[in-house]
Amino acid sequence: MTVYIDPPAWPGHGRMWSHLVSDVSYEELHRFAERLGVPARAFDRDHYDIPSHRYADAVAAGAVEVRSREVVRLLRASGLRRPKGCQARRT
């Protein structure tokens, strides 16, 4: 199982955020997020939004640190990328 996280560089709601993704399946991603205690509402189309204060927790739990561009590349290569406009369901 490999889950990836980019640096907390995305502003929103007065915080900085990271993206947590899988290059294998949404099931793998959801299991990892659940073990980390990330609420389901943090899932956005093809990734979880992780606040900067939880970044180290995700890495300690096994998420591999990658650059933001790598997150997009991994999602596209795996076929898991859901562009904006796609339904934001948790499957």
Side-chain angles (χ1 to χ4, degrees):
M1 173 199 286
T2 304
V3 174
Y4 302 88
I5 191 165
D6 64 0
W10 306 98
H13 308 285
R15 298 180 173 175
M16 298 301 283
W17 299 82
S18 294
H19 300 118
L20 185 72
V21 302
S22 168
D23 65 347
V24 174
S25 69
Y26 295 119
E27 182 180 328
E28 172 186 59
L29 179 60
H30 297 318
R31 280 194 318 258
F32 186 92
E34 186 176 309
R35 281 196 323 270
L36 195 59
V38 176
R41 70 180 179 274
F43 185 68
D44 184 16
R45 296 187 322 268
D46 54 13
H47 66 276
Y48 280 88
D49 291 318
I50 305 294
S52 59
H53 71 274
R54 297 294 317 273
Y55 181 82
D57 297 336
V59 173
V64 175
E65 299 170 278
V66 295
R67 294 176 50 204
S68 296
R69 288 182 188 216
E70 185 67 4
V71 163
V72 175
R73 190 196 68 73
L74 288 163
L75 285 171
R76 285 184 178 149
S78 67
L80 296 175
R81 179 74 173 134
R82 288 183 179 156
K84 287 187 179 184
C86 284
Q87 199 171 22
R89 66 182 190 276
R90 188 177 187 264
T91 59

Coordinates of all heavy atoms in Angstrom, one line a residue:
M1 N 0.8 -1.2 0.0 CA 0.0 0.0 0.0 C 0.9 1.2 0.0 O 1.8 1.4 0.8 CB -0.9 0.0 1.2 CG -1.7 1.3 1.4 SD -2.3 1.7 3.0 CE -3.7 0.6 3.1
T2 N 0.6 2.1 -0.9 CA 1.3 3.4 -1.0 C 0.3 4.5 -1.1 O -0.5 4.5 -2.0 CB 2.4 3.5 -2.1 OG1 3.3 2.4 -2.0 CG2 3.2 4.7 -2.0
V3 N 0.4 5.4 -0.2 CA -0.4 6.6 -0.2 C 0.6 7.8 -0.2 O 1.6 7.7 0.4 CB -1.4 6.7 1.0 CG1 -2.1 8.0 1.0 CG2 -2.4 5.5 0.9
Y4 N 0.2 8.9 -1.0 CA 1.1 10.0 -1.2 C 0.5 11.3 -0.6 O -0.7 11.4 -0.6 CB 1.4 10.2 -2.7 CG 2.0 8.9 -3.3 CD1 1.2 7.9 -3.8 CD2 3.4 8.8 -3.4 CE1 1.7 6.8 -4.4 CE2 3.9 7.6 -3.9 CZ 3.1 6.6 -4.5 OH 3.7 5.5 -5.0
I5 N 1.4 12.2 -0.2 CA 0.9 13.5 0.3 C 1.9 14.6 -0.2 O 3.1 14.4 -0.3 CB 0.9 13.5 1.8 CG1 0.1 14.7 2.3 CG2 2.2 13.3 2.5 CD1 -0.3 14.6 3.8
D6 N 1.3 15.7 -0.6 CA 2.1 16.8 -1.1 C 2.2 17.8 0.1 O 1.5 17.7 1.1 CB 1.5 17.5 -2.3 CG 0.2 18.1 -2.2 OD1 -0.4 18.1 -1.1 OD2 -0.3 18.6 -3.2
P7 N 3.2 18.7 0.0 CA 3.4 19.7 1.1 C 2.2 20.6 1.3 O 1.4 20.8 0.4 CB 4.6 20.6 0.6 CG 5.2 19.8 -0.5 CD 4.1 18.9 -1.1
P8 N 1.9 21.0 2.5 CA 0.8 21.9 2.8 C 1.0 23.3 2.2 O 1.6 24.2 2.8 CB 0.7 21.9 4.3 CG 2.1 21.6 4.8 CD 2.7 20.7 3.7
A9 N 0.6 23.4 0.9 CA 0.8 24.7 0.2 C -0.4 25.3 -0.4 O -0.4 26.2 -1.1 CB 1.8 24.4 -1.0
W10 N -1.6 24.7 0.0 CA -2.8 25.2 -0.6 C -3.7 25.9 0.4 O -4.1 25.3 1.4 CB -3.6 23.9 -1.2 CG -2.7 23.2 -2.1 CD1 -2.0 22.1 -1.8 CD2 -2.5 23.5 -3.4 NE1 -1.3 21.7 -2.9 CE2 -1.6 22.6 -4.0 CE3 -2.9 24.6 -4.3 CZ2 -1.1 22.6 -5.3 CZ3 -2.4 24.6 -5.6 CH2 -1.5 23.6 -6.0
P11 N -3.9 27.2 0.3 CA -4.6 27.9 1.3 C -6.1 27.7 1.2 O -6.7 27.5 0.1 CB -4.3 29.4 0.9 CG -4.0 29.4 -0.5 CD -3.4 28.0 -0.8
G12 N -6.8 27.8 2.4 CA -8.2 27.7 2.4 C -8.7 27.7 3.8 O -8.1 27.0 4.7
H13 N -9.8 28.5 4.1 CA -10.4 28.5 5.4 C -9.4 28.9 6.5 O -9.4 28.3 7.6 CB -11.0 27.2 5.8 CG -12.0 26.7 4.7 ND1 -13.2 27.2 4.5 CD2 -11.8 25.7 3.7 CE1 -13.8 26.6 3.5 NE2 -13.0 25.7 3.0
G14 N -8.4 29.8 6.2 CA -7.5 30.3 7.2 C -6.4 29.3 7.5 O -5.7 29.5 8.5
R15 N -6.2 28.3 6.7 CA -5.2 27.2 6.9 C -4.5 26.9 5.6 O -4.9 27.3 4.5 CB -5.8 25.9 7.4 CG -6.5 26.0 8.7 CD -7.1 24.6 9.0 NE -7.6 24.6 10.3 CZ -8.3 23.6 10.9 NH1 -8.4 22.5 10.2 NH2 -8.7 23.7 12.1
M16 N -3.4 26.1 5.7 CA -2.7 25.6 4.6 C -3.1 24.1 4.5 O -3.2 23.4 5.6 CB -1.2 25.8 4.7 CG -0.8 27.3 4.7 SD -1.4 28.2 3.2 CE -0.2 27.6 2.0
W17 N -3.2 23.5 3.3 CA -3.7 22.2 3.1 C -2.7 21.3 2.2 O -2.1 21.9 1.3 CB -5.1 22.2 2.5 CG -6.1 22.9 3.4 CD1 -6.3 24.2 3.5 CD2 -7.0 22.3 4.3 NE1 -7.3 24.5 4.4 CE2 -7.7 23.3 4.9 CE3 -7.2 20.9 4.7 CZ2 -8.7 23.0 5.9 CZ3 -8.2 20.7 5.6 CH2 -8.9 21.7 6.2
S18 N -2.7 20.1 2.5 CA -2.1 19.1 1.6 C -3.1 18.2 0.9 O -4.3 18.2 1.4 CB -1.2 18.2 2.5 OG -0.1 18.8 3.0
H19 N -2.7 17.4 -0.1 CA -3.6 16.5 -0.7 C -3.0 15.1 -0.5 O -1.8 14.8 -0.7 CB -3.6 16.7 -2.2 CG -4.1 18.1 -2.6 ND1 -3.3 19.0 -3.2 CD2 -5.3 18.7 -2.3 CE1 -4.1 20.1 -3.4 NE2 -5.2 20.0 -2.8
L20 N -3.9 14.2 -0.1 CA -3.5 12.8 0.2 C -4.2 12.0 -0.9 O -5.4 12.0 -1.1 CB -4.1 12.4 1.6 CG -3.7 11.0 2.1 CD1 -2.3 11.0 2.5 CD2 -4.6 10.7 3.3
V21 N -3.4 11.2 -1.6 CA -3.9 10.4 -2.7 C -3.3 9.0 -2.7 O -2.3 8.7 -2.1 CB -3.5 11.0 -4.1 CG1 -4.1 12.4 -4.2 CG2 -2.0 11.0 -4.4
S22 N -4.0 8.1 -3.5 CA -3.5 6.8 -3.7 C -3.3 6.6 -5.2 O -4.0 7.2 -6.0 CB -4.5 5.7 -3.3 OG -4.2 4.4 -3.8
D23 N -2.3 5.8 -5.6 CA -2.2 5.5 -7.0 C -2.7 4.1 -7.3 O -2.4 3.5 -8.4 CB -0.7 5.7 -7.5 CG 0.2 4.7 -6.8 OD1 -0.2 4.0 -5.8 OD2 1.4 4.6 -7.3
V24 N -3.4 3.5 -6.4 CA -3.9 2.1 -6.6 C -5.4 2.1 -6.6 O -6.0 1.6 -7.5 CB -3.4 1.2 -5.4 CG1 -4.0 -0.2 -5.5 CG2 -1.9 1.1 -5.5
S25 N -6.1 2.6 -5.6 CA -7.5 2.6 -5.5 C -8.1 3.6 -4.5 O -7.3 4.0 -3.6 CB -8.0 1.2 -5.1 OG -7.7 0.9 -3.8
Y26 N -9.3 4.0 -4.6 CA -10.0 4.8 -3.6 C -10.1 4.0 -2.3 O -10.1 4.6 -1.3 CB -11.3 5.3 -4.1 CG -11.2 6.2 -5.3 CD1 -11.8 5.9 -6.5 CD2 -10.5 7.4 -5.3 CE1 -11.7 6.7 -7.6 CE2 -10.4 8.2 -6.3 CZ -11.0 7.9 -7.5 OH -10.9 8.7 -8.6
E27 N -10.4 2.7 -2.5 CA -10.5 1.9 -1.3 C -9.3 2.0 -0.4 O -9.4 2.2 0.8 CB -10.8 0.5 -1.6 CG -11.0 -0.5 -0.5 CD -11.3 -1.9 -0.9 OE1 -11.8 -2.1 -1.9 OE2 -10.9 -2.8 -0.1
E28 N -8.1 1.9 -1.0 CA -6.9 2.0 -0.3 C -6.8 3.4 0.4 O -6.4 3.5 1.6 CB -5.7 1.8 -1.2 CG -4.3 2.1 -0.6 CD -3.2 2.1 -1.5 OE1 -3.2 2.9 -2.5 OE2 -2.3 1.3 -1.3
L29 N -7.1 4.4 -0.3 CA -7.1 5.8 0.2 C -8.0 6.0 1.4 O -7.7 6.5 2.4 CB -7.4 6.8 -0.9 CG -7.4 8.3 -0.6 CD1 -6.1 8.7 -0.1 CD2 -7.8 9.1 -1.8
H30 N -9.3 5.5 1.2 CA -10.2 5.6 2.3 C -9.8 4.8 3.6 O -10.0 5.4 4.7 CB -11.6 5.1 1.8 CG -12.2 5.9 0.7 ND1 -12.1 7.3 0.6 CD2 -12.8 5.5 -0.4 CE1 -12.7 7.7 -0.5 NE2 -13.2 6.6 -1.1
R31 N -9.2 3.7 3.4 CA -8.8 2.9 4.5 C -7.7 3.7 5.3 O -7.6 3.7 6.5 CB -8.2 1.5 4.1 CG -9.3 0.5 3.9 CD -8.8 -0.9 3.8 NE -7.5 -1.0 3.0 CZ -7.5 -1.5 1.8 NH1 -8.5 -1.9 1.1 NH2 -6.3 -1.5 1.2
F32 N -6.7 4.2 4.5 CA -5.6 5.0 5.1 C -6.2 6.2 5.9 O -5.8 6.4 7.0 CB -4.6 5.4 4.1 CG -3.4 6.1 4.6 CD1 -2.3 5.3 4.9 CD2 -3.4 7.4 4.9 CE1 -1.1 6.0 5.4 CE2 -2.2 8.1 5.4 CZ -1.1 7.3 5.6
A33 N -7.1 6.9 5.2 CA -7.6 8.1 5.9 C -8.4 7.7 7.1 O -8.3 8.4 8.1 CB -8.5 8.8 4.9
E34 N -9.1 6.7 7.1 CA -9.9 6.2 8.3 C -9.0 5.9 9.4 O -9.2 6.3 10.5 CB -10.7 5.0 7.9 CG -11.7 4.6 9.0 CD -12.6 3.4 8.6 OE1 -13.2 3.6 7.5 OE2 -12.6 2.4 9.3
R35 N -7.9 5.1 9.1 CA -6.9 4.8 10.2 C -6.3 6.1 10.8 O -5.9 6.1 11.9 CB -5.8 3.9 9.6 CG -6.2 2.5 9.5 CD -5.1 1.5 9.3 NE -4.0 2.0 8.5 CZ -3.9 1.8 7.2 NH1 -4.8 1.2 6.5 NH2 -2.9 2.3 6.6
L36 N -6.1 7.1 9.9 CA -5.5 8.3 10.4 C -6.5 9.2 11.1 O -6.2 10.2 11.8 CB -5.0 9.1 9.1 CG -4.0 10.2 9.3 CD1 -2.8 9.8 10.1 CD2 -3.6 10.8 8.0
G37 N -7.8 8.9 11.0 CA -8.8 9.6 11.7 C -9.3 10.8 10.9 O -9.9 11.8 11.5
V38 N -9.1 10.8 9.6 CA -9.5 11.9 8.7 C -11.0 11.7 8.4 O -11.5 10.6 8.0 CB -8.7 11.9 7.4 CG1 -9.2 13.0 6.5 CG2 -7.3 12.0 7.7
P39 N -11.8 12.7 8.7 CA -13.3 12.6 8.4 C -13.6 12.4 6.9 O -12.9 13.0 6.1 CB -13.9 13.9 9.0 CG -12.7 14.9 9.0 CD -11.5 14.1 9.1
A40 N -14.7 11.7 6.7 CA -15.1 11.4 5.3 C -15.3 12.7 4.5 O -15.1 12.8 3.3 CB -16.3 10.6 5.2
R41 N -15.8 13.8 5.2 CA -16.1 15.1 4.5 C -14.8 15.7 3.9 O -14.9 16.6 3.1 CB -16.8 16.0 5.5 CG -15.9 16.5 6.6 CD -16.7 17.5 7.5 NE -15.8 18.0 8.6 CZ -15.6 17.3 9.8 NH1 -16.2 16.2 10.0 NH2 -14.8 17.9 10.7
A42 N -13.6 15.2 4.3 CA -12.4 15.8 3.8 C -12.1 15.2 2.4 O -11.1 15.7 1.8 CB -11.2 15.5 4.7
F43 N -12.8 14.2 2.0 CA -12.6 13.7 0.6 C -13.2 14.6 -0.4 O -14.3 15.0 -0.3 CB -13.3 12.3 0.5 CG -13.0 11.6 -0.8 CD1 -11.7 11.1 -1.1 CD2 -14.0 11.4 -1.7 CE1 -11.4 10.5 -2.3 CE2 -13.7 10.7 -2.9 CZ -12.5 10.3 -3.2
D44 N -12.4 14.9 -1.4 CA -12.8 15.8 -2.5 C -12.4 15.2 -3.9 O -11.3 15.2 -4.3 CB -12.1 17.2 -2.3 CG -12.5 18.2 -3.3 OD1 -13.5 18.0 -4.0 OD2 -11.8 19.2 -3.5
R45 N -13.4 14.6 -4.5 CA -13.3 13.9 -5.8 C -12.3 12.8 -5.9 O -12.7 11.7 -6.2 CB -13.0 15.0 -6.9 CG -14.0 16.0 -7.1 CD -13.7 16.9 -8.3 NE -12.3 17.3 -8.5 CZ -11.7 18.4 -8.0 NH1 -12.4 19.2 -7.2 NH2 -10.5 18.6 -8.2
D46 N -11.0 13.0 -5.7 CA -10.0 12.0 -5.9 C -8.9 12.1 -4.8 O -7.9 11.4 -4.9 CB -9.4 12.1 -7.3 CG -8.8 13.5 -7.6 OD1 -8.7 14.3 -6.7 OD2 -8.6 13.7 -8.8
H47 N -9.1 12.9 -3.8 CA -8.1 13.1 -2.8 C -8.7 13.5 -1.5 O -9.9 13.9 -1.4 CB -7.1 14.1 -3.2 CG -7.7 15.5 -3.3 ND1 -8.3 16.0 -4.4 CD2 -7.7 16.5 -2.4 CE1 -8.8 17.2 -4.2 NE2 -8.4 17.6 -3.0
Y48 N -8.0 13.4 -0.4 CA -8.4 14.0 0.9 C -7.6 15.3 1.1 O -6.4 15.4 0.8 CB -8.1 13.1 2.0 CG -9.1 12.0 2.2 CD1 -8.9 10.8 1.5 CD2 -10.2 12.1 3.1 CE1 -9.9 9.8 1.7 CE2 -11.1 11.1 3.2 CZ -10.9 9.9 2.5 OH -11.9 8.9 2.7
D49 N -8.3 16.3 1.6 CA -7.6 17.5 2.0 C -7.2 17.4 3.5 O -8.0 17.1 4.3 CB -8.6 18.7 1.9 CG -8.9 19.0 0.4 OD1 -8.0 19.0 -0.4 OD2 -10.1 19.3 0.2
I50 N -5.9 17.5 3.7 CA -5.3 17.3 5.0 C -4.7 18.7 5.5 O -3.9 19.3 4.8 CB -4.1 16.3 4.9 CG1 -4.6 15.0 4.3 CG2 -3.5 16.1 6.3 CD1 -5.6 14.2 5.1
P51 N -5.2 19.2 6.7 CA -4.6 20.4 7.2 C -3.2 20.3 7.6 O -2.7 19.2 7.9 CB -5.5 20.7 8.4 CG -6.1 19.4 8.8 CD -6.2 18.6 7.6
S52 N -2.5 21.4 7.5 CA -1.0 21.4 7.7 C -0.6 20.8 9.1 O 0.4 20.1 9.2 CB -0.4 22.8 7.6 OG -1.0 23.6 8.5
H53 N -1.5 21.0 10.1 CA -1.1 20.4 11.4 C -1.2 18.9 11.5 O -0.7 18.3 12.4 CB -1.9 21.1 12.5 CG -3.4 20.7 12.5 ND1 -4.3 21.3 11.7 CD2 -4.0 19.7 13.2 CE1 -5.5 20.7 12.0 NE2 -5.3 19.8 12.9
R54 N -1.8 18.3 10.4 CA -1.9 16.8 10.4 C -0.9 16.2 9.4 O -0.8 15.0 9.2 CB -3.3 16.4 10.0 CG -4.4 16.7 10.9 CD -4.3 16.0 12.3 NE -4.0 14.6 12.3 CZ -4.9 13.6 12.2 NH1 -6.1 13.9 12.0 NH2 -4.4 12.4 12.2
Y55 N -0.1 17.0 8.7 CA 0.8 16.5 7.7 C 1.8 15.5 8.3 O 2.0 14.4 7.8 CB 1.6 17.7 7.1 CG 2.6 17.4 6.0 CD1 2.2 17.2 4.7 CD2 3.9 17.3 6.3 CE1 3.1 16.8 3.7 CE2 4.9 16.9 5.3 CZ 4.4 16.7 4.0 OH 5.3 16.4 3.1
A56 N 2.5 15.9 9.4 CA 3.4 15.0 10.0 C 2.8 13.7 10.5 O 3.4 12.6 10.4 CB 4.1 15.7 11.2
D57 N 1.5 13.7 10.9 CA 0.8 12.5 11.3 C 0.7 11.6 10.1 O 0.8 10.4 10.2 CB -0.6 12.8 11.8 CG -0.5 13.7 13.1 OD1 0.5 13.6 13.8 OD2 -1.5 14.3 13.4
A58 N 0.3 12.1 8.9 CA 0.1 11.3 7.7 C 1.4 10.7 7.3 O 1.5 9.5 6.9 CB -0.4 12.2 6.6
V59 N 2.5 11.5 7.4 CA 3.8 10.9 7.0 C 4.3 9.8 8.0 O 4.7 8.8 7.6 CB 4.9 12.0 6.9 CG1 6.3 11.5 6.7 CG2 4.5 13.0 5.8
A60 N 4.0 10.1 9.3 CA 4.4 9.1 10.3 C 3.6 7.8 10.1 O 4.1 6.7 10.4 CB 4.2 9.6 11.7
A61 N 2.4 7.9 9.6 CA 1.5 6.7 9.3 C 1.9 6.0 8.0 O 1.3 4.9 7.7 CB 0.0 7.2 9.3
G62 N 2.8 6.6 7.2 CA 3.3 5.9 6.0 C 3.1 6.6 4.7 O 3.4 6.1 3.7
A63 N 2.4 7.8 4.7 CA 2.3 8.5 3.5 C 3.6 8.9 3.0 O 4.5 9.4 3.7 CB 1.4 9.7 3.7
V64 N 3.8 8.8 1.7 CA 5.1 9.2 1.0 C 5.0 10.6 0.6 O 4.1 11.0 -0.1 CB 5.4 8.3 -0.2 CG1 6.6 8.7 -0.9 CG2 5.5 6.8 0.3
E65 N 6.0 11.4 1.0 CA 6.0 12.8 0.6 C 6.4 13.0 -0.9 O 7.5 12.4 -1.3 CB 7.0 13.6 1.5 CG 6.6 13.5 3.0 CD 7.7 14.1 3.8 OE1 8.7 13.3 4.1 OE2 7.7 15.2 4.2
V66 N 5.6 13.7 -1.6 CA 5.9 14.0 -3.0 C 5.6 15.5 -3.3 O 4.8 16.1 -2.5 CB 5.1 13.1 -4.0 CG1 5.6 11.7 -3.9 CG2 3.6 13.3 -3.8
R67 N 6.1 16.0 -4.4 CA 5.7 17.4 -4.8 C 4.3 17.4 -5.4 O 3.7 16.4 -5.8 CB 6.7 17.8 -5.9 CG 8.1 18.0 -5.4 CD 9.1 18.3 -6.4 NE 8.7 19.5 -7.2 CZ 9.1 19.7 -8.4 NH1 10.0 18.9 -9.0 NH2 8.7 20.8 -9.1
S68 N 3.7 18.6 -5.4 CA 2.3 18.7 -5.8 C 2.1 18.2 -7.2 O 1.1 17.6 -7.5 CB 1.8 20.1 -5.7 OG 1.8 20.5 -4.3
R69 N 3.0 18.5 -8.1 CA 2.9 18.0 -9.5 C 2.9 16.5 -9.6 O 2.2 15.9 -10.4 CB 4.0 18.6 -10.3 CG 3.9 20.1 -10.6 CD 5.0 20.6 -11.5 NE 4.9 22.0 -11.6 CZ 5.2 22.7 -12.7 NH1 5.6 22.0 -13.7 NH2 5.1 24.0 -12.7
E70 N 3.6 15.9 -8.7 CA 3.7 14.4 -8.7 C 2.3 13.8 -8.2 O 1.9 12.8 -8.8 CB 4.8 13.9 -7.7 CG 5.0 12.5 -7.7 CD 5.6 11.9 -9.0 OE1 5.9 12.7 -9.9 OE2 5.7 10.7 -9.1
V71 N 1.6 14.5 -7.4 CA 0.3 14.0 -7.0 C -0.6 13.9 -8.2 O -1.3 12.9 -8.4 CB -0.3 15.0 -5.9 CG1 -1.8 14.8 -5.8 CG2 0.3 14.8 -4.6
V72 N -0.6 15.0 -9.0 CA -1.5 15.0 -10.2 C -1.0 13.9 -11.2 O -1.8 13.2 -11.8 CB -1.5 16.4 -10.9 CG1 -2.2 16.4 -12.2 CG2 -2.1 17.4 -9.9
R73 N 0.3 13.8 -11.4 CA 0.8 12.8 -12.3 C 0.4 11.4 -11.8 O 0.0 10.5 -12.7 CB 2.3 12.9 -12.4 CG 2.9 12.0 -13.5 CD 4.4 11.8 -13.4 NE 4.8 11.0 -12.2 CZ 4.6 9.6 -12.2 NH1 4.0 9.0 -13.1 NH2 5.0 9.0 -11.1
L74 N 0.5 11.1 -10.5 CA 0.2 9.8 -10.0 C -1.3 9.5 -10.2 O -1.7 8.4 -10.6 CB 0.5 9.7 -8.5 CG 2.0 9.6 -8.2 CD1 2.2 10.0 -6.7 CD2 2.5 8.2 -8.5
L75 N -2.2 10.5 -10.0 CA -3.6 10.3 -10.2 C -3.9 10.0 -11.6 O -4.7 9.1 -12.0 CB -4.4 11.5 -9.7 CG -4.5 11.6 -8.2 CD1 -5.1 13.0 -7.8 CD2 -5.3 10.5 -7.6
R76 N -3.3 10.8 -12.5 CA -3.6 10.6 -14.0 C -3.1 9.2 -14.4 O -3.8 8.5 -15.2 CB -2.9 11.7 -14.8 CG -3.7 13.0 -14.7 CD -3.1 14.0 -15.6 NE -3.8 15.3 -15.5 CZ -3.3 16.5 -15.6 NH1 -2.0 16.6 -15.9 NH2 -4.0 17.5 -15.5
A77 N -1.9 8.9 -14.1 CA -1.3 7.6 -14.5 C -2.1 6.4 -14.0 O -2.2 5.4 -14.7 CB 0.1 7.5 -14.0
S78 N -2.7 6.5 -12.8 CA -3.5 5.4 -12.2 C -4.9 5.4 -12.8 O -5.6 4.4 -12.5 CB -3.5 5.5 -10.7 OG -4.3 6.7 -10.3
G79 N -5.3 6.4 -13.4 CA -6.7 6.5 -13.9 C -7.7 6.9 -12.8 O -8.9 6.8 -13.0
L80 N -7.2 7.4 -11.7 CA -8.0 7.8 -10.5 C -8.3 9.3 -10.5 O -9.1 9.7 -9.7 CB -7.4 7.4 -9.2 CG -7.2 5.9 -9.0 CD1 -6.4 5.6 -7.7 CD2 -8.6 5.2 -9.0
R81 N -7.8 10.0 -11.5 CA -8.0 11.5 -11.5 C -9.5 11.8 -11.8 O -10.0 11.2 -12.8 CB -7.1 12.1 -12.5 CG -7.3 13.6 -12.6 CD -6.7 14.3 -11.4 NE -6.7 15.8 -11.6 CZ -7.0 16.6 -10.7 NH1 -7.4 16.2 -9.5 NH2 -7.0 17.9 -10.9
R82 N -10.1 12.6 -11.0 CA -11.5 13.0 -11.2 C -11.4 14.6 -11.3 O -11.4 15.3 -10.3 CB -12.4 12.6 -10.1 CG -12.8 11.2 -10.1 CD -13.7 10.9 -8.9 NE -14.1 9.5 -8.9 CZ -14.5 8.9 -7.8 NH1 -14.7 9.6 -6.7 NH2 -14.8 7.6 -7.8
P83 N -11.4 15.1 -12.5 CA -11.3 16.6 -12.7 C -12.5 17.3 -12.1 O -13.6 16.7 -11.9 CB -11.3 16.7 -14.2 CG -11.0 15.4 -14.8 CD -11.5 14.4 -13.8
K84 N -12.4 18.6 -11.9 CA -13.5 19.4 -11.4 C -14.7 19.2 -12.3 O -14.5 19.0 -13.5 CB -13.1 20.9 -11.4 CG -12.2 21.2 -10.2 CD -11.9 22.6 -10.1 CE -11.0 22.9 -8.9 NZ -10.8 24.2 -8.6
G85 N -15.9 19.1 -11.7 CA -17.1 18.9 -12.5 C -17.5 17.4 -12.4 O -18.7 17.1 -12.6
C86 N -16.6 16.6 -11.9 CA -17.0 15.2 -11.6 C -17.7 15.1 -10.3 O -17.4 15.9 -9.4 CB -15.7 14.3 -11.6 SG -15.1 13.9 -13.2
Q87 N -18.5 14.1 -10.2 CA -19.2 14.0 -8.9 C -18.3 13.7 -7.8 O -17.4 12.9 -7.9 CB -20.2 12.8 -9.0 CG -21.3 12.9 -8.0 CD -22.4 11.8 -8.3 OE1 -22.1 10.9 -9.0 NE2 -23.6 12.0 -7.8
A88 N -18.4 14.4 -6.6 CA -17.6 14.3 -5.5 C -18.1 13.2 -4.5 O -18.3 13.5 -3.4 CB -17.4 15.6 -4.8
R89 N -18.3 12.0 -5.0 CA -18.8 11.0 -4.1 C -17.6 10.2 -3.5 O -16.5 10.1 -4.0 CB -19.7 10.1 -4.8 CG -19.1 9.2 -5.9 CD -20.1 8.4 -6.6 NE -19.5 7.5 -7.5 CZ -19.0 7.7 -8.8 NH1 -19.2 8.9 -9.2 NH2 -18.5 6.8 -9.5
R90 N -17.9 9.6 -2.4 CA -16.9 8.7 -1.7 C -17.1 7.3 -2.0 O -18.0 6.7 -1.4 CB -16.9 9.0 -0.2 CG -15.8 8.3 0.6 CD -15.9 8.7 2.0 NE -14.7 8.2 2.7 CZ -14.7 7.0 3.4 NH1 -15.7 6.3 3.4 NH2 -13.6 6.7 4.0
T91 N -16.4 6.7 -3.0 CA -16.6 5.3 -3.4 C -15.4 4.5 -3.0 O -14.4 4.9 -2.7 CB -16.8 5.2 -4.9 OG1 -15.7 5.8 -5.6 CG2 -18.1 6.0 -5.3

